[in-house]
Structures are given as C-alpha cells and as structure tokens.
Amino acid sequence: VRARVMQVEKKPEVSYADIGGIDEQMEEVRETVEMPLKSPEMFDQVGIDPPSGVLLYGPPGTGKTMLAKAVANQTDATFIKMAGSELVHKFIGEGAKLVRDLFELARQHEPAVIFIDEIDAIASKRTESKTSGDAEVQRTMMQLLSEMDGFEDRGQISIIAATNRFDMLDPAILRPGRFDRLIEVPKPDEDGREIIFRIHTRNMNVSDDVSFEELAEEADEASGADIKAICTEAGMFAIRDDRTEVRMEDFRAAWEKIKQAESEEDDEVS
Ligand code: ATP
C-alpha cells in the first residue's frame, strides 16, 4: 500500500533554473525551507523554532511540485511525495497509519522533504454530511496535525503541502506551528510565460521564425504545464510533417489544440 501512495526520490532532478515566472515564490520557499534543512543548528543557537510547514496554493500546473523538488535537490534531501486524494479514496481505514508511516519514512531518510499534494483531500472544512468517509478523513488529518505538533525535535525534515482549493481548507491546519507559511503560486504573466517557453525549448530544434515573445502574448491564460504541453505538441506537429525543425506555425497549432482539449474537459466537468 505504502509504495503506491508514497513516491520516494533521492535528490530529484529539478533545479531552480527549470522553474520560470515565479521568482518571488521561489525566493520565499528557499528562505523558509532551505535554511532549516541546511543549518538547523542556527535556529537552536538563536533560540527560535524553525518554520514548520509551508503551504503552496494556486491553480494546477503552476510549478508547486517542481518547487518542492527543487528544494530537495538543492539541499541534497530525499523527496517523499504523498497525494492526499489517493490516500483517502483508495485506502479507507489506512489513512492515519499511512501518515505515521510517511513521517517514519522521512526520519529514516533525513534530510527529507515531505510533499503532500492535494492536501485539501485530507484537510477540508468539515462538511455537512457525516458519512463514515468523513470520519476517516478526519482521523487522517488529526494524525497529520499530531505529527506536525510533535515535531519540535524534527531534525532535518521539511513539510511542504500544496492545494488548488485554498478556500476548502480546514483552518485548523493553518494555525501557528502548522502550515503557517502560505505562498500563493499563480499562473505566469506574459513575461513569465516567455521564460517558461524558453525553458521548455532549451533542447528543441527551433526555427528562426519562432518568437517566444509573441507566443507568450498569444498563449494567454496558459499555465506552466500548458506551456510544457504546447512545446511537446509543437514538436509532434513538426514530426508529422516530416520536419526536424519546429516552426512558429507548429507552436500556434499546438496551442489551439491544447486550448480546445481543455475547453472540452471543462464542458465535461460542468
Ligand atoms: P498540480 O497542482 O496539478 O499538482 P503543480 O503546480 O504541482 O500542479 P507541477 O507538477 O509542478 O505543477 O508542473 C507540472 C509540469 O508543468 C512541470 O513538470 C513542468 O514541466 C511544467 N511547469 C509548471 N510550472 C512551471 C514553471 N513555473 N516553470 C517551468 N515549467 C513549469
């Protein structure tokens, strides 16, 4: 069970240079997470508790997971990821135990970054309906809070959580000593999009007619993940056309295709 819910990576291969358009957020994550991992003794000597959990929130595909991985890379830490949704949906009755296992695993792999994705799945506001599923979710969250509270002597373990549904969170997890550093990771603006296009085309054979500036302007509303998908899809268009050089028209066609696919998805949801 544990293997399917937790993903462990020794020093993941993501660096800060792979992340574009969210410099301020990156700085803040570095300040809060790197220091306690690299120099825990500083906090002892100064006599303050290191920041506990960092919560990243914002729309999907904006680089939250990347940020957590890059911190682990930079600090030579093991990256341990757990998805909140999998935890409660697939393994009813196991949630609290899995949370205990998660922290145990981190202690064995110090320094470690624990990344809890979709934390809203285990820490959402109490809903009206009191089904047994809710009670299970509640127990899982209580276990998480108690692990975090009992963490004075946590050594070199950092906890980063992420959510797309900030509004849904139970205020209990935002109390001091828990996830009390909140960092919003928004979709990139136009300059950010241009940087992200450059990052994802670094290894691509791009024709001279490609303007990243124009692409950034045209791909309005695209997230980092969308831009990554546009680049891959543009490459596919070139291959289908039997070319090895990727042109502006390929990028434009790719964006059209991805936009289309996303609006169809939205239609299905609503
Ligand atoms: P989710 O909320 O859906 O889990 P996320 O915010 O954690 O999303 P990531 O998993 O970090 O998003 O991003 C998915 C992929 O999109 C990355 O592997 C990367 O290729 C690309 N990407 C997203 N944001 C950025 C960014 N700011 N700079 C460069 N690439 C990005």
Side-chain angles (χ1 to χ4, degrees), residues 18-20 22 59-66 117 164 196 200 224-225 228:
D18 298 327
I19 306 175
I22 45 172
T62 48
K64 297 183 287 299
T65 307
M66 286 186 99
D117 201 7
N164 307 323
I196 299 172
H200 287 293
K228 158 90 179 150

Side-chain angles (χ1 to χ4, degrees), residues 55-72:
L55 179 76
L56 307 175
Y57 66 98
T62 48
K64 297 183 287 299
T65 307
M66 286 186 99
L67 271 175
K69 284 191 175 180
V71 171

